Amino acid sequence: LSDPDCRFSARLPRSGLQCAVAGDGRHGAVLQYLGGQDDVRVGDDVDTGNGSRSFPSGVPVGKVVRVTRLDGGLRLLAEVEPAAPLNRLEGLYVWVGEPKP
């Protein structure tokens, strides 16, 4: 999740907002493609979204911990704290399913 090469669709259940999540290269992730009018708040849950070929929808990803306005308020940057402490994971489960058409 924190790897900058990791990107997938995301959804905020409270607002229904669809966006993308990408690793920040440190210990968390950021929401991408957010406009200045998008409804994103600190504390919002982030789940996997529809349209991903890698993950089923509705899997908890984390929570929004910071929202910053960029470009004079035209864009938002939302930082996400992972739902699981990445430095304490002991195993890896791989979901195998039928690819979506």
Side-chain angles (χ1 to χ4, degrees), residues 46-78:
V46 180
D47 294 345
T48 54
N50 297 326
S52 173
R53 291 184 176 190
S54 303
F55 303 103
S57 62
V59 176
V61 172
K63 286 193 180 294
V64 175
V65 294
R66 181 176 297 139
V67 179
T68 306
R69 292 198 171 277
L70 304 173
D71 298 332
L74 295 176
R75 294 186 308 127
L76 298 177
L77 174 69

PDB file of all heavy atoms in Angstrom, residues 46-78:
ATOM      1  N   VAL A  46     -11.639   4.871   3.877  1.00  0.00           N
ATOM      2  CA  VAL A  46     -11.285   4.654   2.473  1.00  0.00           C
ATOM      3  C   VAL A  46     -11.333   3.155   2.223  1.00  0.00           C
ATOM      4  O   VAL A  46     -10.698   2.380   2.942  1.00  0.00           O
ATOM      5  CB  VAL A  46      -9.877   5.207   2.148  1.00  0.00           C
ATOM      6  CG1 VAL A  46      -9.535   4.959   0.688  1.00  0.00           C
ATOM      7  CG2 VAL A  46      -9.772   6.682   2.501  1.00  0.00           C
ATOM      8  N   ASP A  47     -12.112   2.747   1.227  1.00  0.00           N
ATOM      9  CA  ASP A  47     -12.222   1.339   0.832  1.00  0.00           C
ATOM     10  C   ASP A  47     -11.754   1.188  -0.606  1.00  0.00           C
ATOM     11  O   ASP A  47     -11.672   2.168  -1.344  1.00  0.00           O
ATOM     12  CB  ASP A  47     -13.676   0.862   0.906  1.00  0.00           C
ATOM     13  CG  ASP A  47     -14.243   0.831   2.308  1.00  0.00           C
ATOM     14  OD1 ASP A  47     -13.467   0.895   3.286  1.00  0.00           O
ATOM     15  OD2 ASP A  47     -15.481   0.739   2.421  1.00  0.00           O
ATOM     16  N   THR A  48     -11.488  -0.051  -1.007  1.00  0.00           N
ATOM     17  CA  THR A  48     -11.208  -0.286  -2.423  1.00  0.00           C
ATOM     18  C   THR A  48     -12.478   0.023  -3.210  1.00  0.00           C
ATOM     19  O   THR A  48     -13.590  -0.202  -2.737  1.00  0.00           O
ATOM     20  CB  THR A  48     -10.764  -1.739  -2.688  1.00  0.00           C
ATOM     21  OG1 THR A  48     -11.745  -2.627  -2.150  1.00  0.00           O
ATOM     22  CG2 THR A  48      -9.404  -2.022  -2.071  1.00  0.00           C
ATOM     23  N   GLY A  49     -12.290   0.544  -4.408  1.00  0.00           N
ATOM     24  CA  GLY A  49     -13.426   0.971  -5.220  1.00  0.00           C
ATOM     25  C   GLY A  49     -13.784  -0.015  -6.302  1.00  0.00           C
ATOM     26  O   GLY A  49     -13.148  -1.060  -6.467  1.00  0.00           O
ATOM     27  N   ASN A  50     -14.798   0.346  -7.045  1.00  0.00           N
ATOM     28  CA  ASN A  50     -15.210  -0.454  -8.198  1.00  0.00           C
ATOM     29  C   ASN A  50     -14.222  -0.246  -9.333  1.00  0.00           C
ATOM     30  O   ASN A  50     -13.556   0.768  -9.412  1.00  0.00           O
ATOM     31  CB  ASN A  50     -16.601  -0.022  -8.662  1.00  0.00           C
ATOM     32  CG  ASN A  50     -17.644  -0.266  -7.611  1.00  0.00           C
ATOM     33  OD1 ASN A  50     -17.557  -1.223  -6.860  1.00  0.00           O
ATOM     34  ND2 ASN A  50     -18.632   0.606  -7.547  1.00  0.00           N
ATOM     35  N   GLY A  51     -14.139  -1.181 -10.203  1.00  0.00           N
ATOM     36  CA  GLY A  51     -13.332  -1.017 -11.401  1.00  0.00           C
ATOM     37  C   GLY A  51     -11.895  -1.481 -11.282  1.00  0.00           C
ATOM     38  O   GLY A  51     -11.130  -1.348 -12.215  1.00  0.00           O
ATOM     39  N   SER A  52     -11.520  -2.032 -10.160  1.00  0.00           N
ATOM     40  CA  SER A  52     -10.151  -2.519 -10.009  1.00  0.00           C
ATOM     41  C   SER A  52     -10.076  -3.978 -10.443  1.00  0.00           C
ATOM     42  O   SER A  52     -10.932  -4.779 -10.085  1.00  0.00           O
ATOM     43  CB  SER A  52      -9.699  -2.412  -8.552  1.00  0.00           C
ATOM     44  OG  SER A  52      -8.444  -3.025  -8.383  1.00  0.00           O
ATOM     45  N   ARG A  53      -9.069  -4.297 -11.197  1.00  0.00           N
ATOM     46  CA  ARG A  53      -8.856  -5.701 -11.572  1.00  0.00           C
ATOM     47  C   ARG A  53      -8.009  -6.425 -10.537  1.00  0.00           C
ATOM     48  O   ARG A  53      -7.889  -7.627 -10.563  1.00  0.00           O
ATOM     49  CB  ARG A  53      -8.183  -5.785 -12.927  1.00  0.00           C
ATOM     50  CG  ARG A  53      -9.086  -5.335 -14.041  1.00  0.00           C
ATOM     51  CD  ARG A  53      -8.444  -5.523 -15.377  1.00  0.00           C
ATOM     52  NE  ARG A  53      -9.412  -5.155 -16.410  1.00  0.00           N
ATOM     53  CZ  ARG A  53      -9.231  -5.385 -17.674  1.00  0.00           C
ATOM     54  NH1 ARG A  53      -8.139  -5.962 -18.085  1.00  0.00           N
ATOM     55  NH2 ARG A  53     -10.151  -5.035 -18.546  1.00  0.00           N
ATOM     56  N   SER A  54      -7.417  -5.666  -9.623  1.00  0.00           N
ATOM     57  CA  SER A  54      -6.520  -6.255  -8.633  1.00  0.00           C
ATOM     58  C   SER A  54      -7.198  -6.591  -7.312  1.00  0.00           C
ATOM     59  O   SER A  54      -6.770  -7.509  -6.625  1.00  0.00           O
ATOM     60  CB  SER A  54      -5.366  -5.295  -8.341  1.00  0.00           C
ATOM     61  OG  SER A  54      -4.677  -4.985  -9.519  1.00  0.00           O
ATOM     62  N   PHE A  55      -8.242  -5.828  -6.938  1.00  0.00           N
ATOM     63  CA  PHE A  55      -8.855  -6.004  -5.626  1.00  0.00           C
ATOM     64  C   PHE A  55     -10.372  -5.987  -5.755  1.00  0.00           C
ATOM     65  O   PHE A  55     -10.918  -5.237  -6.560  1.00  0.00           O
ATOM     66  CB  PHE A  55      -8.447  -4.863  -4.680  1.00  0.00           C
ATOM     67  CG  PHE A  55      -6.969  -4.717  -4.517  1.00  0.00           C
ATOM     68  CD1 PHE A  55      -6.289  -3.709  -5.182  1.00  0.00           C
ATOM     69  CD2 PHE A  55      -6.253  -5.580  -3.711  1.00  0.00           C
ATOM     70  CE1 PHE A  55      -4.920  -3.557  -5.033  1.00  0.00           C
ATOM     71  CE2 PHE A  55      -4.886  -5.441  -3.565  1.00  0.00           C
ATOM     72  CZ  PHE A  55      -4.218  -4.440  -4.234  1.00  0.00           C
ATOM     73  N   PRO A  56     -11.060  -6.763  -4.926  1.00  0.00           N
ATOM     74  CA  PRO A  56     -12.522  -6.661  -4.899  1.00  0.00           C
ATOM     75  C   PRO A  56     -12.915  -5.332  -4.249  1.00  0.00           C
ATOM     76  O   PRO A  56     -12.152  -4.758  -3.484  1.00  0.00           O
ATOM     77  CB  PRO A  56     -12.944  -7.856  -4.042  1.00  0.00           C
ATOM     78  CG  PRO A  56     -11.758  -8.161  -3.195  1.00  0.00           C
ATOM     79  CD  PRO A  56     -10.551  -7.773  -3.997  1.00  0.00           C
ATOM     80  N   SER A  57     -14.094  -4.824  -4.545  1.00  0.00           N
ATOM     81  CA  SER A  57     -14.533  -3.560  -3.961  1.00  0.00           C
ATOM     82  C   SER A  57     -14.950  -3.761  -2.504  1.00  0.00           C
ATOM     83  O   SER A  57     -15.330  -4.851  -2.088  1.00  0.00           O
ATOM     84  CB  SER A  57     -15.685  -2.970  -4.769  1.00  0.00           C
ATOM     85  OG  SER A  57     -16.784  -3.840  -4.753  1.00  0.00           O
ATOM     86  N   GLY A  58     -14.827  -2.689  -1.725  1.00  0.00           N
ATOM     87  CA  GLY A  58     -15.285  -2.696  -0.344  1.00  0.00           C
ATOM     88  C   GLY A  58     -14.288  -3.159   0.694  1.00  0.00           C
ATOM     89  O   GLY A  58     -14.627  -3.282   1.864  1.00  0.00           O
ATOM     90  N   VAL A  59     -13.042  -3.417   0.310  1.00  0.00           N
ATOM     91  CA  VAL A  59     -12.020  -3.834   1.279  1.00  0.00           C
ATOM     92  C   VAL A  59     -11.469  -2.583   1.966  1.00  0.00           C
ATOM     93  O   VAL A  59     -11.074  -1.629   1.295  1.00  0.00           O
ATOM     94  CB  VAL A  59     -10.873  -4.608   0.581  1.00  0.00           C
ATOM     95  CG1 VAL A  59      -9.770  -4.952   1.562  1.00  0.00           C
ATOM     96  CG2 VAL A  59     -11.413  -5.850  -0.095  1.00  0.00           C
ATOM     97  N   PRO A  60     -11.450  -2.546   3.314  1.00  0.00           N
ATOM     98  CA  PRO A  60     -10.926  -1.367   4.007  1.00  0.00           C
ATOM     99  C   PRO A  60      -9.458  -1.109   3.653  1.00  0.00           C
ATOM    100  O   PRO A  60      -8.634  -2.021   3.664  1.00  0.00           O
ATOM    101  CB  PRO A  60     -11.060  -1.721   5.490  1.00  0.00           C
ATOM    102  CG  PRO A  60     -12.098  -2.793   5.540  1.00  0.00           C
ATOM    103  CD  PRO A  60     -11.962  -3.552   4.243  1.00  0.00           C
ATOM    104  N   VAL A  61      -9.162   0.140   3.330  1.00  0.00           N
ATOM    105  CA  VAL A  61      -7.800   0.559   3.007  1.00  0.00           C
ATOM    106  C   VAL A  61      -7.215   1.362   4.156  1.00  0.00           C
ATOM    107  O   VAL A  61      -6.083   1.160   4.565  1.00  0.00           O
ATOM    108  CB  VAL A  61      -7.776   1.403   1.709  1.00  0.00           C
ATOM    109  CG1 VAL A  61      -6.403   2.007   1.465  1.00  0.00           C
ATOM    110  CG2 VAL A  61      -8.225   0.562   0.532  1.00  0.00           C
ATOM    111  N   GLY A  62      -7.976   2.311   4.694  1.00  0.00           N
ATOM    112  CA  GLY A  62      -7.492   3.141   5.782  1.00  0.00           C
ATOM    113  C   GLY A  62      -8.427   4.297   6.059  1.00  0.00           C
ATOM    114  O   GLY A  62      -9.600   4.267   5.689  1.00  0.00           O
ATOM    115  N   LYS A  63      -7.872   5.341   6.712  1.00  0.00           N
ATOM    116  CA  LYS A  63      -8.629   6.544   7.051  1.00  0.00           C
ATOM    117  C   LYS A  63      -7.873   7.774   6.589  1.00  0.00           C
ATOM    118  O   LYS A  63      -6.646   7.814   6.621  1.00  0.00           O
ATOM    119  CB  LYS A  63      -8.837   6.653   8.557  1.00  0.00           C
ATOM    120  CG  LYS A  63      -9.850   5.707   9.118  1.00  0.00           C
ATOM    121  CD  LYS A  63     -10.209   6.120  10.536  1.00  0.00           C
ATOM    122  CE  LYS A  63     -11.228   5.180  11.132  1.00  0.00           C
ATOM    123  NZ  LYS A  63     -12.515   5.217  10.480  1.00  0.00           N
ATOM    124  N   VAL A  64      -8.621   8.803   6.200  1.00  0.00           N
ATOM    125  CA  VAL A  64      -8.023  10.092   5.839  1.00  0.00           C
ATOM    126  C   VAL A  64      -7.548  10.767   7.123  1.00  0.00           C
ATOM    127  O   VAL A  64      -8.316  10.907   8.075  1.00  0.00           O
ATOM    128  CB  VAL A  64      -9.045  10.987   5.099  1.00  0.00           C
ATOM    129  CG1 VAL A  64      -8.458  12.366   4.843  1.00  0.00           C
ATOM    130  CG2 VAL A  64      -9.491  10.335   3.800  1.00  0.00           C
ATOM    131  N   VAL A  65      -6.265  11.146   7.151  1.00  0.00           N
ATOM    132  CA  VAL A  65      -5.703  11.789   8.340  1.00  0.00           C
ATOM    133  C   VAL A  65      -5.349  13.254   8.116  1.00  0.00           C
ATOM    134  O   VAL A  65      -5.138  13.997   9.076  1.00  0.00           O
ATOM    135  CB  VAL A  65      -4.466  11.032   8.872  1.00  0.00           C
ATOM    136  CG1 VAL A  65      -4.867   9.658   9.396  1.00  0.00           C
ATOM    137  CG2 VAL A  65      -3.388  10.901   7.806  1.00  0.00           C
ATOM    138  N   ARG A  66      -5.287  13.697   6.866  1.00  0.00           N
ATOM    139  CA  ARG A  66      -4.972  15.098   6.578  1.00  0.00           C
ATOM    140  C   ARG A  66      -5.478  15.442   5.187  1.00  0.00           C
ATOM    141  O   ARG A  66      -5.335  14.652   4.261  1.00  0.00           O
ATOM    142  CB  ARG A  66      -3.468  15.342   6.643  1.00  0.00           C
ATOM    143  CG  ARG A  66      -3.088  16.797   6.383  1.00  0.00           C
ATOM    144  CD  ARG A  66      -1.597  17.053   6.546  1.00  0.00           C
ATOM    145  NE  ARG A  66      -1.232  16.796   7.928  1.00  0.00           N
ATOM    146  CZ  ARG A  66      -0.130  16.173   8.316  1.00  0.00           C
ATOM    147  NH1 ARG A  66       0.743  15.746   7.420  1.00  0.00           N
ATOM    148  NH2 ARG A  66       0.135  15.969   9.582  1.00  0.00           N
ATOM    149  N   VAL A  67      -6.067  16.625   5.060  1.00  0.00           N
ATOM    150  CA  VAL A  67      -6.517  17.133   3.761  1.00  0.00           C
ATOM    151  C   VAL A  67      -5.885  18.502   3.568  1.00  0.00           C
ATOM    152  O   VAL A  67      -5.992  19.377   4.425  1.00  0.00           O
ATOM    153  CB  VAL A  67      -8.053  17.248   3.687  1.00  0.00           C
ATOM    154  CG1 VAL A  67      -8.482  17.813   2.338  1.00  0.00           C
ATOM    155  CG2 VAL A  67      -8.719  15.900   3.933  1.00  0.00           C
ATOM    156  N   THR A  68      -5.190  18.675   2.445  1.00  0.00           N
ATOM    157  CA  THR A  68      -4.503  19.927   2.134  1.00  0.00           C
ATOM    158  C   THR A  68      -5.018  20.458   0.803  1.00  0.00           C
ATOM    159  O   THR A  68      -5.148  19.701  -0.157  1.00  0.00           O
ATOM    160  CB  THR A  68      -2.979  19.685   2.027  1.00  0.00           C
ATOM    161  OG1 THR A  68      -2.521  19.054   3.223  1.00  0.00           O
ATOM    162  CG2 THR A  68      -2.233  20.979   1.808  1.00  0.00           C
ATOM    163  N   ARG A  69      -5.294  21.760   0.762  1.00  0.00           N
ATOM    164  CA  ARG A  69      -5.709  22.406  -0.493  1.00  0.00           C
ATOM    165  C   ARG A  69      -4.462  22.809  -1.278  1.00  0.00           C
ATOM    166  O   ARG A  69      -3.525  23.366  -0.718  1.00  0.00           O
ATOM    167  CB  ARG A  69      -6.559  23.632  -0.210  1.00  0.00           C
ATOM    168  CG  ARG A  69      -7.886  23.260   0.391  1.00  0.00           C
ATOM    169  CD  ARG A  69      -8.887  24.395   0.260  1.00  0.00           C
ATOM    170  NE  ARG A  69     -10.208  23.940   0.639  1.00  0.00           N
ATOM    171  CZ  ARG A  69     -11.045  23.295  -0.159  1.00  0.00           C
ATOM    172  NH1 ARG A  69     -10.716  23.050  -1.401  1.00  0.00           N
ATOM    173  NH2 ARG A  69     -12.232  22.893   0.259  1.00  0.00           N
ATOM    174  N   LEU A  70      -4.475  22.523  -2.580  1.00  0.00           N
ATOM    175  CA  LEU A  70      -3.363  22.853  -3.466  1.00  0.00           C
ATOM    176  C   LEU A  70      -3.846  23.756  -4.595  1.00  0.00           C
ATOM    177  O   LEU A  70      -5.045  23.804  -4.890  1.00  0.00           O
ATOM    178  CB  LEU A  70      -2.777  21.567  -4.068  1.00  0.00           C
ATOM    179  CG  LEU A  70      -2.298  20.493  -3.096  1.00  0.00           C
ATOM    180  CD1 LEU A  70      -1.926  19.234  -3.861  1.00  0.00           C
ATOM    181  CD2 LEU A  70      -1.139  20.991  -2.270  1.00  0.00           C
ATOM    182  N   ASP A  71      -2.918  24.428  -5.235  1.00  0.00           N
ATOM    183  CA  ASP A  71      -3.223  25.259  -6.411  1.00  0.00           C
ATOM    184  C   ASP A  71      -4.363  26.238  -6.139  1.00  0.00           C
ATOM    185  O   ASP A  71      -5.317  26.348  -6.912  1.00  0.00           O
ATOM    186  CB  ASP A  71      -3.560  24.394  -7.629  1.00  0.00           C
ATOM    187  CG  ASP A  71      -2.402  23.504  -8.057  1.00  0.00           C
ATOM    188  OD1 ASP A  71      -1.254  23.901  -7.818  1.00  0.00           O
ATOM    189  OD2 ASP A  71      -2.667  22.426  -8.607  1.00  0.00           O
ATOM    190  N   GLY A  72      -4.263  26.949  -5.026  1.00  0.00           N
ATOM    191  CA  GLY A  72      -5.284  27.937  -4.693  1.00  0.00           C
ATOM    192  C   GLY A  72      -6.651  27.331  -4.428  1.00  0.00           C
ATOM    193  O   GLY A  72      -7.668  27.982  -4.613  1.00  0.00           O
ATOM    194  N   GLY A  73      -6.692  26.074  -4.002  1.00  0.00           N
ATOM    195  CA  GLY A  73      -7.946  25.406  -3.687  1.00  0.00           C
ATOM    196  C   GLY A  73      -8.561  24.631  -4.834  1.00  0.00           C
ATOM    197  O   GLY A  73      -9.644  24.066  -4.688  1.00  0.00           O
ATOM    198  N   LEU A  74      -7.881  24.579  -5.977  1.00  0.00           N
ATOM    199  CA  LEU A  74      -8.423  23.852  -7.126  1.00  0.00           C
ATOM    200  C   LEU A  74      -8.307  22.338  -6.983  1.00  0.00           C
ATOM    201  O   LEU A  74      -9.066  21.595  -7.587  1.00  0.00           O
ATOM    202  CB  LEU A  74      -7.735  24.296  -8.414  1.00  0.00           C
ATOM    203  CG  LEU A  74      -7.959  25.745  -8.820  1.00  0.00           C
ATOM    204  CD1 LEU A  74      -7.136  26.075 -10.060  1.00  0.00           C
ATOM    205  CD2 LEU A  74      -9.434  25.991  -9.070  1.00  0.00           C
ATOM    206  N   ARG A  75      -7.313  21.899  -6.204  1.00  0.00           N
ATOM    207  CA  ARG A  75      -7.092  20.461  -5.999  1.00  0.00           C
ATOM    208  C   ARG A  75      -6.950  20.187  -4.510  1.00  0.00           C
ATOM    209  O   ARG A  75      -6.599  21.079  -3.745  1.00  0.00           O
ATOM    210  CB  ARG A  75      -5.823  19.985  -6.700  1.00  0.00           C
ATOM    211  CG  ARG A  75      -5.855  20.043  -8.189  1.00  0.00           C
ATOM    212  CD  ARG A  75      -4.611  19.417  -8.828  1.00  0.00           C
ATOM    213  NE  ARG A  75      -3.362  19.949  -8.292  1.00  0.00           N
ATOM    214  CZ  ARG A  75      -2.369  19.192  -7.796  1.00  0.00           C
ATOM    215  NH1 ARG A  75      -2.464  17.893  -7.776  1.00  0.00           N
ATOM    216  NH2 ARG A  75      -1.265  19.758  -7.342  1.00  0.00           N
ATOM    217  N   LEU A  76      -7.196  18.943  -4.132  1.00  0.00           N
ATOM    218  CA  LEU A  76      -6.986  18.504  -2.757  1.00  0.00           C
ATOM    219  C   LEU A  76      -5.957  17.387  -2.736  1.00  0.00           C
ATOM    220  O   LEU A  76      -5.881  16.584  -3.664  1.00  0.00           O
ATOM    221  CB  LEU A  76      -8.290  17.958  -2.149  1.00  0.00           C
ATOM    222  CG  LEU A  76      -9.469  18.900  -2.028  1.00  0.00           C
ATOM    223  CD1 LEU A  76     -10.674  18.131  -1.479  1.00  0.00           C
ATOM    224  CD2 LEU A  76      -9.142  20.072  -1.142  1.00  0.00           C
ATOM    225  N   LEU A  77      -5.194  17.334  -1.667  1.00  0.00           N
ATOM    226  CA  LEU A  77      -4.306  16.207  -1.386  1.00  0.00           C
ATOM    227  C   LEU A  77      -4.783  15.621  -0.071  1.00  0.00           C
ATOM    228  O   LEU A  77      -4.846  16.330   0.940  1.00  0.00           O
ATOM    229  CB  LEU A  77      -2.852  16.663  -1.263  1.00  0.00           C
ATOM    230  CG  LEU A  77      -1.875  15.577  -0.821  1.00  0.00           C
ATOM    231  CD1 LEU A  77      -1.701  14.543  -1.918  1.00  0.00           C
ATOM    232  CD2 LEU A  77      -0.548  16.166  -0.421  1.00  0.00           C
ATOM    233  N   ALA A  78      -5.159  14.356  -0.073  1.00  0.00           N
ATOM    234  CA  ALA A  78      -5.638  13.695   1.140  1.00  0.00           C
ATOM    235  C   ALA A  78      -4.682  12.564   1.493  1.00  0.00           C
ATOM    236  O   ALA A  78      -4.446  11.672   0.683  1.00  0.00           O
ATOM    237  CB  ALA A  78      -7.044  13.159   0.934  1.00  0.00           C
TER     238      ALA A  78
END
